[in-house]
mmCIF file of all heavy atoms in Angstrom:
data_model
loop_
_atom_site.group_PDB
_atom_site.id
_atom_site.type_symbol
_atom_site.label_atom_id
_atom_site.label_comp_id
_atom_site.label_asym_id
_atom_site.label_seq_id
_atom_site.Cartn_x
_atom_site.Cartn_y
_atom_site.Cartn_z
ATOM 1 N N MET Q 25 -139.643 -24.973 -90.288
ATOM 2 C CA MET Q 25 -138.489 -24.880 -91.061
ATOM 3 C C MET Q 25 -137.403 -24.093 -90.361
ATOM 4 O O MET Q 25 -136.283 -23.935 -90.937
ATOM 5 C CB MET Q 25 -138.803 -24.290 -92.425
ATOM 6 C CG MET Q 25 -139.800 -25.116 -93.279
ATOM 7 S SD MET Q 25 -140.213 -24.304 -94.806
ATOM 8 C CE MET Q 25 -138.731 -24.469 -95.784
ATOM 9 N N GLU Q 26 -137.636 -23.583 -89.174
ATOM 10 C CA GLU Q 26 -136.622 -22.837 -88.581
ATOM 11 C C GLU Q 26 -136.182 -23.442 -87.171
ATOM 12 O O GLU Q 26 -135.745 -22.838 -86.263
ATOM 13 C CB GLU Q 26 -137.340 -21.439 -88.058
ATOM 14 C CG GLU Q 26 -137.467 -20.582 -89.375
ATOM 15 C CD GLU Q 26 -136.246 -20.064 -89.880
ATOM 16 O OE1 GLU Q 26 -135.105 -20.168 -89.227
ATOM 17 O OE2 GLU Q 26 -136.268 -19.525 -91.034
ATOM 18 N N GLN Q 27 -136.283 -24.837 -87.120
ATOM 19 C CA GLN Q 27 -135.908 -25.472 -85.926
ATOM 20 C C GLN Q 27 -134.507 -26.006 -85.989
ATOM 21 O O GLN Q 27 -134.057 -26.412 -87.058
ATOM 22 C CB GLN Q 27 -136.906 -26.683 -85.608
ATOM 23 C CG GLN Q 27 -138.408 -26.088 -85.497
ATOM 24 C CD GLN Q 27 -139.283 -27.244 -85.017
ATOM 25 O OE1 GLN Q 27 -139.852 -27.269 -83.891
ATOM 26 N NE2 GLN Q 27 -139.569 -28.061 -85.964
ATOM 27 N N TYR Q 28 -133.846 -26.061 -84.829
ATOM 28 C CA TYR Q 28 -132.475 -26.501 -84.704
ATOM 29 C C TYR Q 28 -132.394 -27.645 -83.691
ATOM 30 O O TYR Q 28 -132.918 -27.683 -82.655
ATOM 31 C CB TYR Q 28 -131.581 -25.322 -84.222
ATOM 32 C CG TYR Q 28 -131.693 -24.248 -85.301
ATOM 33 C CD1 TYR Q 28 -132.673 -23.178 -85.122
ATOM 34 C CD2 TYR Q 28 -130.923 -24.261 -86.405
ATOM 35 C CE1 TYR Q 28 -132.769 -22.189 -86.085
ATOM 36 C CE2 TYR Q 28 -131.031 -23.186 -87.408
ATOM 37 C CZ TYR Q 28 -132.026 -22.279 -87.160
ATOM 38 O OH TYR Q 28 -132.070 -21.247 -88.187
ATOM 39 N N LEU Q 29 -131.608 -28.662 -84.114
ATOM 40 C CA LEU Q 29 -131.419 -29.837 -83.388
ATOM 41 C C LEU Q 29 -130.070 -29.670 -82.772
ATOM 42 O O LEU Q 29 -129.051 -29.851 -83.384
ATOM 43 C CB LEU Q 29 -131.495 -31.102 -84.163
ATOM 44 C CG LEU Q 29 -131.199 -32.411 -83.490
ATOM 45 C CD1 LEU Q 29 -132.271 -32.785 -82.576
ATOM 46 C CD2 LEU Q 29 -131.060 -33.548 -84.518
ATOM 47 N N VAL Q 30 -130.019 -29.407 -81.414
ATOM 48 C CA VAL Q 30 -128.755 -29.267 -80.728
ATOM 49 C C VAL Q 30 -128.360 -30.575 -80.151
ATOM 50 O O VAL Q 30 -129.173 -31.136 -79.258
ATOM 51 C CB VAL Q 30 -128.846 -28.140 -79.704
ATOM 52 C CG1 VAL Q 30 -127.533 -27.884 -79.059
ATOM 53 C CG2 VAL Q 30 -129.421 -26.913 -80.341
ATOM 54 N N ILE Q 31 -127.212 -31.117 -80.435
ATOM 55 C CA ILE Q 31 -126.749 -32.416 -80.076
ATOM 56 C C ILE Q 31 -125.539 -32.423 -79.156
ATOM 57 O O ILE Q 31 -124.662 -31.660 -79.411
ATOM 58 C CB ILE Q 31 -126.601 -33.338 -81.239
ATOM 59 C CG1 ILE Q 31 -127.791 -33.452 -82.171
ATOM 60 C CG2 ILE Q 31 -126.086 -34.742 -80.868
ATOM 61 C CD1 ILE Q 31 -127.521 -34.205 -83.470
ATOM 62 N N ASP Q 32 -125.547 -33.352 -78.258
ATOM 63 C CA ASP Q 32 -124.369 -33.522 -77.344
ATOM 64 C C ASP Q 32 -124.189 -35.047 -77.087
ATOM 65 O O ASP Q 32 -125.160 -35.612 -76.655
ATOM 66 C CB ASP Q 32 -124.330 -32.740 -76.116
ATOM 67 C CG ASP Q 32 -122.953 -32.827 -75.332
ATOM 68 O OD1 ASP Q 32 -122.165 -32.008 -75.650
ATOM 69 O OD2 ASP Q 32 -122.808 -33.725 -74.537
ATOM 70 N N LEU Q 33 -123.032 -35.527 -77.321
ATOM 71 C CA LEU Q 33 -122.727 -36.966 -77.086
ATOM 72 C C LEU Q 33 -121.734 -37.057 -76.068
ATOM 73 O O LEU Q 33 -120.756 -36.233 -75.985
ATOM 74 C CB LEU Q 33 -122.220 -37.592 -78.403
ATOM 75 C CG LEU Q 33 -123.086 -37.448 -79.688
ATOM 76 C CD1 LEU Q 33 -122.415 -38.123 -80.869
ATOM 77 C CD2 LEU Q 33 -124.489 -37.974 -79.408
ATOM 78 N N GLU Q 34 -121.854 -38.124 -75.280
ATOM 79 C CA GLU Q 34 -120.747 -38.484 -74.286
ATOM 80 C C GLU Q 34 -120.197 -39.898 -74.693
ATOM 81 O O GLU Q 34 -120.847 -40.714 -75.160
ATOM 82 C CB GLU Q 34 -121.378 -38.529 -72.865
ATOM 83 C CG GLU Q 34 -122.006 -37.329 -72.348
ATOM 84 C CD GLU Q 34 -121.026 -36.156 -72.253
ATOM 85 O OE1 GLU Q 34 -119.810 -36.399 -72.010
ATOM 86 O OE2 GLU Q 34 -121.431 -35.000 -72.520
ATOM 87 N N PHE Q 35 -118.815 -39.929 -74.584
ATOM 88 C CA PHE Q 35 -118.154 -41.073 -75.102
ATOM 89 C C PHE Q 35 -117.391 -41.818 -74.027
ATOM 90 O O PHE Q 35 -117.086 -41.262 -72.948
ATOM 91 C CB PHE Q 35 -117.039 -40.667 -76.136
ATOM 92 C CG PHE Q 35 -117.390 -39.650 -77.096
ATOM 93 C CD1 PHE Q 35 -116.508 -38.634 -77.441
ATOM 94 C CD2 PHE Q 35 -118.653 -39.717 -77.740
ATOM 95 C CE1 PHE Q 35 -116.987 -37.674 -78.340
ATOM 96 C CE2 PHE Q 35 -119.010 -38.705 -78.677
ATOM 97 C CZ PHE Q 35 -118.085 -37.665 -78.973
ATOM 98 N N CYS Q 36 -117.065 -43.012 -74.235
ATOM 99 C CA CYS Q 36 -116.083 -43.838 -73.419
ATOM 100 C C CYS Q 36 -115.061 -44.421 -74.326
ATOM 101 O O CYS Q 36 -115.241 -44.583 -75.571
ATOM 102 C CB CYS Q 36 -116.797 -44.879 -72.576
ATOM 103 S SG CYS Q 36 -117.482 -46.226 -73.538
ATOM 104 N N ARG Q 37 -113.944 -44.770 -73.797
ATOM 105 C CA ARG Q 37 -112.805 -45.386 -74.497
ATOM 106 C C ARG Q 37 -113.149 -46.847 -74.848
ATOM 107 O O ARG Q 37 -113.786 -47.456 -73.987
ATOM 108 C CB ARG Q 37 -111.448 -45.244 -73.827
ATOM 109 C CG ARG Q 37 -110.943 -43.801 -73.793
ATOM 110 C CD ARG Q 37 -109.502 -43.800 -73.233
ATOM 111 N NE ARG Q 37 -108.984 -42.461 -73.309
ATOM 112 C CZ ARG Q 37 -108.256 -42.070 -74.458
ATOM 113 N NH1 ARG Q 37 -108.115 -42.814 -75.438
ATOM 114 N NH2 ARG Q 37 -107.704 -40.759 -74.384
ATOM 115 N N THR Q 38 -112.746 -47.335 -75.907
ATOM 116 C CA THR Q 38 -112.905 -48.765 -76.272
ATOM 117 C C THR Q 38 -111.689 -49.528 -75.667
ATOM 118 O O THR Q 38 -110.550 -49.027 -75.455
ATOM 119 C CB THR Q 38 -112.940 -49.050 -77.755
ATOM 120 O OG1 THR Q 38 -111.693 -48.557 -78.356
ATOM 121 C CG2 THR Q 38 -114.043 -48.257 -78.389
ATOM 122 N N ASP Q 39 -111.898 -50.744 -75.441
ATOM 123 C CA ASP Q 39 -110.823 -51.753 -75.146
ATOM 124 C C ASP Q 39 -110.215 -52.127 -76.481
ATOM 125 O O ASP Q 39 -110.779 -52.778 -77.353
ATOM 126 C CB ASP Q 39 -111.429 -53.002 -74.424
ATOM 127 C CG ASP Q 39 -110.301 -54.007 -74.194
ATOM 128 O OD1 ASP Q 39 -109.930 -54.809 -75.126
ATOM 129 O OD2 ASP Q 39 -109.775 -53.990 -73.111
ATOM 130 N N LYS Q 40 -108.864 -51.679 -76.599
ATOM 131 C CA LYS Q 40 -108.332 -51.806 -77.889
ATOM 132 C C LYS Q 40 -108.265 -53.233 -78.408
ATOM 133 O O LYS Q 40 -108.427 -53.520 -79.614
ATOM 134 C CB LYS Q 40 -106.911 -51.173 -77.827
ATOM 135 C CG LYS Q 40 -106.779 -49.757 -77.590
ATOM 136 C CD LYS Q 40 -105.381 -49.207 -77.549
ATOM 137 C CE LYS Q 40 -105.345 -47.645 -77.362
ATOM 138 N NZ LYS Q 40 -103.983 -47.138 -77.354
ATOM 139 N N HIS Q 41 -108.039 -54.138 -77.453
ATOM 140 C CA HIS Q 41 -107.846 -55.590 -77.923
ATOM 141 C C HIS Q 41 -109.133 -56.077 -78.444
ATOM 142 O O HIS Q 41 -109.231 -56.699 -79.485
ATOM 143 C CB HIS Q 41 -107.307 -56.442 -76.782
ATOM 144 C CG HIS Q 41 -107.241 -57.891 -77.073
ATOM 145 N ND1 HIS Q 41 -106.270 -58.384 -77.995
ATOM 146 C CD2 HIS Q 41 -107.997 -58.939 -76.616
ATOM 147 C CE1 HIS Q 41 -106.449 -59.645 -78.009
ATOM 148 N NE2 HIS Q 41 -107.455 -60.093 -77.300
ATOM 149 N N THR Q 42 -110.190 -55.813 -77.701
ATOM 150 C CA THR Q 42 -111.551 -56.269 -78.017
ATOM 151 C C THR Q 42 -112.039 -55.585 -79.288
ATOM 152 O O THR Q 42 -112.518 -56.328 -80.238
ATOM 153 C CB THR Q 42 -112.657 -56.028 -76.989
ATOM 154 O OG1 THR Q 42 -112.145 -56.619 -75.752
ATOM 155 C CG2 THR Q 42 -113.969 -56.474 -77.330
ATOM 156 N N ALA Q 43 -111.827 -54.439 -79.416
ATOM 157 C CA ALA Q 43 -112.191 -53.680 -80.600
ATOM 158 C C ALA Q 43 -111.479 -54.140 -81.932
ATOM 159 O O ALA Q 43 -112.098 -54.330 -82.936
ATOM 160 C CB ALA Q 43 -111.901 -52.174 -80.433
ATOM 161 N N LYS Q 44 -110.175 -54.381 -81.694
ATOM 162 C CA LYS Q 44 -109.434 -54.835 -82.894
ATOM 163 C C LYS Q 44 -109.885 -56.144 -83.328
ATOM 164 O O LYS Q 44 -110.004 -56.405 -84.578
ATOM 165 C CB LYS Q 44 -107.906 -54.917 -82.475
ATOM 166 C CG LYS Q 44 -107.012 -55.144 -83.628
ATOM 167 C CD LYS Q 44 -105.528 -55.085 -83.239
ATOM 168 C CE LYS Q 44 -104.703 -55.425 -84.565
ATOM 169 N NZ LYS Q 44 -103.163 -55.402 -84.139
ATOM 170 N N LEU Q 45 -110.214 -57.024 -82.420
ATOM 171 C CA LEU Q 45 -110.676 -58.399 -82.788
ATOM 172 C C LEU Q 45 -112.021 -58.290 -83.535
ATOM 173 O O LEU Q 45 -112.266 -59.054 -84.404
ATOM 174 C CB LEU Q 45 -110.899 -59.199 -81.581
ATOM 175 C CG LEU Q 45 -109.563 -59.769 -80.873
ATOM 176 C CD1 LEU Q 45 -110.003 -60.535 -79.541
ATOM 177 C CD2 LEU Q 45 -108.797 -60.738 -81.828
ATOM 178 N N ARG Q 46 -112.767 -57.261 -83.206
ATOM 179 C CA ARG Q 46 -114.150 -57.159 -83.834
ATOM 180 C C ARG Q 46 -114.002 -56.150 -84.992
ATOM 181 O O ARG Q 46 -115.027 -55.795 -85.596
ATOM 182 C CB ARG Q 46 -115.112 -56.614 -82.884
ATOM 183 C CG ARG Q 46 -115.266 -57.561 -81.634
ATOM 184 C CD ARG Q 46 -116.119 -58.738 -82.065
ATOM 185 N NE ARG Q 46 -117.428 -58.289 -82.340
ATOM 186 C CZ ARG Q 46 -118.447 -58.052 -81.421
ATOM 187 N NH1 ARG Q 46 -118.178 -58.201 -80.198
ATOM 188 N NH2 ARG Q 46 -119.615 -57.726 -81.777
ATOM 189 N N LYS Q 47 -112.776 -55.685 -85.437
ATOM 190 C CA LYS Q 47 -112.588 -54.834 -86.449
ATOM 191 C C LYS Q 47 -113.281 -53.468 -86.293
ATOM 192 O O LYS Q 47 -113.870 -52.913 -87.297
ATOM 193 C CB LYS Q 47 -112.923 -55.503 -87.808
ATOM 194 C CG LYS Q 47 -112.047 -56.728 -88.107
ATOM 195 C CD LYS Q 47 -112.371 -57.310 -89.552
ATOM 196 C CE LYS Q 47 -111.468 -58.517 -89.746
ATOM 197 N NZ LYS Q 47 -111.822 -59.219 -91.050
ATOM 198 N N TYR Q 48 -113.124 -53.025 -85.148
ATOM 199 C CA TYR Q 48 -113.710 -51.566 -84.790
ATOM 200 C C TYR Q 48 -112.487 -50.731 -84.436
ATOM 201 O O TYR Q 48 -111.842 -50.964 -83.571
ATOM 202 C CB TYR Q 48 -114.725 -51.704 -83.659
ATOM 203 C CG TYR Q 48 -115.239 -50.313 -83.205
ATOM 204 C CD1 TYR Q 48 -116.351 -49.739 -83.983
ATOM 205 C CD2 TYR Q 48 -114.751 -49.616 -82.113
ATOM 206 C CE1 TYR Q 48 -116.812 -48.529 -83.559
ATOM 207 C CE2 TYR Q 48 -115.241 -48.329 -81.833
ATOM 208 C CZ TYR Q 48 -116.312 -47.861 -82.594
ATOM 209 O OH TYR Q 48 -116.754 -46.633 -82.176
#
Side-chain angles (χ1 to χ4, degrees):
M25 298 177 71
E26 290 289 345
Q27 298 184 113
Y28 299 91
L29 176 68
V30 185
I31 299 175
D32 188 85
L33 307 176
E34 300 299 329
F35 318 136
C36 66
R37 288 187 175 276
T38 59
D39 178 275
K40 293 181 180 180
H41 178 69
T42 302
K44 186 175 182 180
L45 286 175
R46 300 283 295 277
K47 296 184 179 180
Y48 179 81

